[in-house]
Amino acid sequence: MKKSLLTFILILIFTNINAQSIFGKWENRDEETNKVDSVIEVYEKNGKAYAKIIEITDKNRQTAVCDKCTGKQKNKAILGMNILSGLKKDGNEWNGGKILDPKNGKEYKCYIKLSGKDKLKIRGYIGFSLLGRTAYWYRKK
């Protein structure tokens, strides 16, 4: 009886840990007001993680373009834009990719990892991760 109870508990723990994923819809919140300003969908393609902006809450910004971006993203609509690209799983984090900040048009190296069941840590940096900025996205309910 004790063995089967222990096995059942281990299965529940293992299932719960594996159920936690970086993939899904996440809310980006304004750092000053804590109000949701956009919703980002993190998805997997060919074993790598990507993310795109699927909702902008400010009605005046819904048709905004990335006028500060360069290259292919220059003057493209922010809504629907891929902002995270090419991250590979490395232990409990995803790294080796880039993140684009549409507010300033700059692209940074980055890594992401779960910081709790419903909180995603995003670290963008130049050079190495000590020189950068951390943001958090919250799972959309």
Side-chain angles (χ1 to χ4, degrees):
M1 178 69 176
K2 287 183 180 180
K3 257 187 177 178
S4 60
L5 180 60
L6 179 61
T7 302
F8 177 72
I9 291 170
L10 289 174
I11 289 170
L12 280 177
I13 291 170
F14 182 73
T15 304
N16 191 32
I17 289 170
N18 281 343
Q20 295 178 10
S21 170
I22 65 164
F23 302 112
K25 295 177 182 172
W26 297 89
E27 295 175 339
N28 181 41
R29 297 181 182 166
D30 182 278
E31 292 175 0
E32 293 174 14
T33 65
N34 201 36
K35 290 184 180 179
V36 176
D37 62 9
S38 60
V39 176
I40 294 113
E41 182 175 18
V42 179
Y43 61 96
E44 187 174 8
K45 181 178 169 186
N46 299 324
K48 295 182 180 180
Y50 297 84
K52 64 182 173 182
I53 298 173
I54 61 169
E55 183 182 332
I56 297 173
T57 57
D58 182 348
K59 301 228 184 284
N60 296 324
R61 300 265 317 137
Q62 290 178 346
T63 58
V65 297
C66 192
D67 55 356
K68 294 180 180 176
C69 289
T70 59
K72 295 180 195 177
Q73 302 288 28
K74 179 82 172 157
N75 294 321
K76 296 277 183 169
I78 294 173
L79 185 60
M81 180 177 280
N82 277 306
I83 60 167
L84 190 67
S85 62
L87 284 99
K88 298 175 212 152
K89 185 157 180 54
D90 182 13
N92 67 345
E93 72 179 36
W94 291 73
N95 59 43
K98 302 221 177 203
I99 189 164
L100 171 70
D101 182 347
K103 291 178 181 173
N104 65 20
K106 293 183 180 180
E107 197 172 60
Y108 305 94
K109 292 179 182 179
C110 76
Y111 72 83
I112 61 175
K113 69 179 186 176
L114 284 173
S115 179
K117 180 181 160 195
D118 295 324
K119 189 175 179 181
L120 188 64
K121 176 182 178 180
I122 300 94
R123 178 83 178 156
Y125 57 92
I126 299 171
F128 53 98
S129 65
L130 290 176
L131 301 174
R133 185 174 141 241
T134 300
Y136 292 93
W137 294 344
Y138 300 88
R139 194 175 302 276
K140 184 169 174 62
K141 302 280 181 182

